[in-house]
Amino acid sequence: MIRTIKQRIYVVGMLPLAVLAVVAVIANGAMRIQETNETLRNAQKVAAALLHAPAVDALVVGNISSFERTVDDVIKSSPWLACVILRDAVRKVLVQSGDCGRSAEQAAYSPVTVLRDDSSDFPQAAQRSEVGSLGVLVEDSEVRRDQRQVIVQLAASLILIAAVVVLIGKVLKVRLIEPSQRVGSALTRLSDRDYAARVPVDGNDEVTQLARAVNSTIKTTEAYTRELEFRRKDADRALPDADEANLLRDGLIRSLTDDFETPINHIHAELTAIAMANQDLKLRDRIRNVIAVLQDAQSDFADLIEIATS
């Protein structure tokens, strides 16, 4: 499975291009070799067509010497023609001219045919009969040399493609893959709270700009983290003082509450007792009014205490 950027570059990007280039070079070389072979075959066909009529005359009429002279003249005027072999219907060699030191089987043989004269009352298409075969061996040194040149060029092209692929791979490794890996390593160290991590900056391309941004992010994160740690330490130092102040405040509030509510409750109880023991209605009304004022004062004091403790 392709997971890393290195695998994506090499497998998805470079490998298909390299394979395509190799296939194109090999196909071009094979086509050029096929063209040289086709040139050789065409030369053999041309020579066979040129000597077909003299071969028919030699096989049918028996004019062998005339065929030999014709072949010698053609070989002298055509350096590319190396050897000519004439065989009869039973494949007996009648004429062998030129440089035929190599095996006669290497020659390209074509049938020598003549029109067959059949007596018939009905018109029919003319048919041909084979009276022998004509072998032509073309000088193929130039063709072989061209083929060797094609093979050498093919090998050189493959070597060049391999060199270019290796060079591009190294350039991508130095300028893209390794910087990306360094960026990833720096971010990993940052996640582990290693604020000394830095990405080397070299150049002015996109990866370098990313490295600068990562370094800036690490510096900013370090500054924020140190500021938060400083404030946390201040808060930790201030916490005991705050707890002591809260305790003093709570004690003071309890003391004030006791000092205020105890006499108020006592006055409330005394007034209630006086009102119940006295039959004077006006006095009772006045006592009830005083008790209501005391209750309002207690309520206001309770609100103040709640606000102070919140």
Side-chain angles (χ1 to χ4, degrees):
M1 182 179 294
I2 300 175
R3 295 180 179 178
T4 64
I5 186 173
K6 181 178 180 180
Q7 292 174 338
R8 291 189 180 95
I9 291 175
Y10 286 155
V11 177
V12 180
M14 294 184 60
L15 182 60
L17 293 178
V19 172
L20 182 61
V22 170
V23 171
V25 169
I26 293 177
N28 181 64
M31 183 177 65
R32 292 178 62 184
I33 292 176
Q34 181 66 25
E35 289 177 354
T36 58
N37 292 331
E38 188 66 25
T39 301
L40 184 61
R41 287 192 292 269
N42 291 335
Q44 292 172 341
K45 290 178 181 180
V46 170
L50 181 63
L51 297 175
H52 185 268
V56 171
D57 186 52
L59 291 172
V60 176
V61 181
N63 195 356
I64 302 297
S65 59
S66 176
F67 177 77
E68 290 178 341
R69 287 193 300 271
T70 302
V71 170
D72 291 339
D73 294 338
V74 172
I75 291 177
K76 290 178 182 179
S77 60
S78 304
W80 49 270
L81 185 60
C83 174
V84 176
I85 302 173
L86 181 64
R87 300 187 304 190
D88 59 11
V90 295
R91 297 194 175 185
K92 179 183 178 181
V93 177
L94 301 179
V95 177
Q96 184 171 305
S97 300
D99 184 12
C100 299
R102 289 173 292 177
S103 175
E105 295 299 328
Q106 295 181 357
Y109 286 90
S110 59
V112 179
T113 59
V114 295
L115 290 174
R116 186 174 63 188
D117 186 14
D118 293 335
S119 299
S120 175
D121 295 334
F122 300 98
Q124 59 183 1
Q127 297 182 356
R128 306 185 70 88
S129 61
E130 183 177 342
V131 295
S133 58
L134 179 64
V136 176
L137 188 62
V138 178
E139 178 63 40
D140 59 351
S141 59
E142 293 185 1
V143 174
R144 300 304 175 190
R145 185 178 65 253
D146 292 342
Q147 291 180 349
R148 287 193 296 270
Q149 290 178 353
V150 171
I151 294 174
V152 171
Q153 292 174 359
L154 177 61
S157 299
L158 293 177
I159 294 174
L160 180 61
I161 290 174
V164 170
V165 169
V166 171
L167 179 62
I168 294 176
K170 288 186 176 181
V171 172
L172 290 175
K173 181 180 179 182
V174 173
R175 301 302 302 172
L176 181 61
I177 296 175
E178 290 182 349
S180 300
Q181 291 175 342
R182 288 194 290 266
V183 169
S185 177
L187 292 176
T188 301
R189 292 174 61 185
L190 176 62
S191 64
D192 295 333
R193 297 181 179 273
D194 182 4
Y195 301 111
R198 292 293 184 273
V199 182
V201 177
D202 181 18
N204 196 28
D205 54 9
E206 290 80 0
V207 178
T208 304
Q209 294 175 4
L210 175 61
R212 290 195 181 97
V214 170
N215 290 338
S216 177
T217 301
I218 293 175
K219 291 179 181 179
T220 304
T221 304
E222 181 182 10
Y224 286 162
T225 303
R226 294 188 185 281
E227 179 67 20
L228 290 175
E229 290 178 353
F230 179 76
R231 293 186 179 183
R232 181 180 60 81
K233 291 179 181 179
D234 288 343
D236 291 340
R237 287 192 298 266
L239 185 60
D241 297 336
D243 291 340
E244 184 178 357
N246 289 333
L247 291 175
L248 293 175
R249 183 198 62 186
D250 292 341
L252 178 61
I253 290 174
R254 284 196 298 271
S255 177
L256 290 175
T257 302
D258 292 339
D259 293 342
F260 179 78
E261 289 185 351
T262 299
I264 293 297
N265 291 333
H266 180 70
I267 294 172
H268 185 275
E270 290 294 333
L271 291 175
T272 302
I274 293 172
M276 292 178 63
N278 199 315
Q279 299 298 324
D280 189 353
L281 296 178
K282 291 183 178 181
L283 180 60
R284 285 186 175 184
D285 291 337
R286 293 177 66 183
I287 291 174
R288 280 197 295 270
N289 292 333
V290 172
I291 291 174
V293 171
L294 291 175
Q295 289 177 344
D296 291 340
Q298 283 182 318
S299 178
D300 293 338
F301 184 77
D303 293 339
L304 291 174
I305 295 300
E306 184 178 356
I307 293 172
T309 57
S310 61

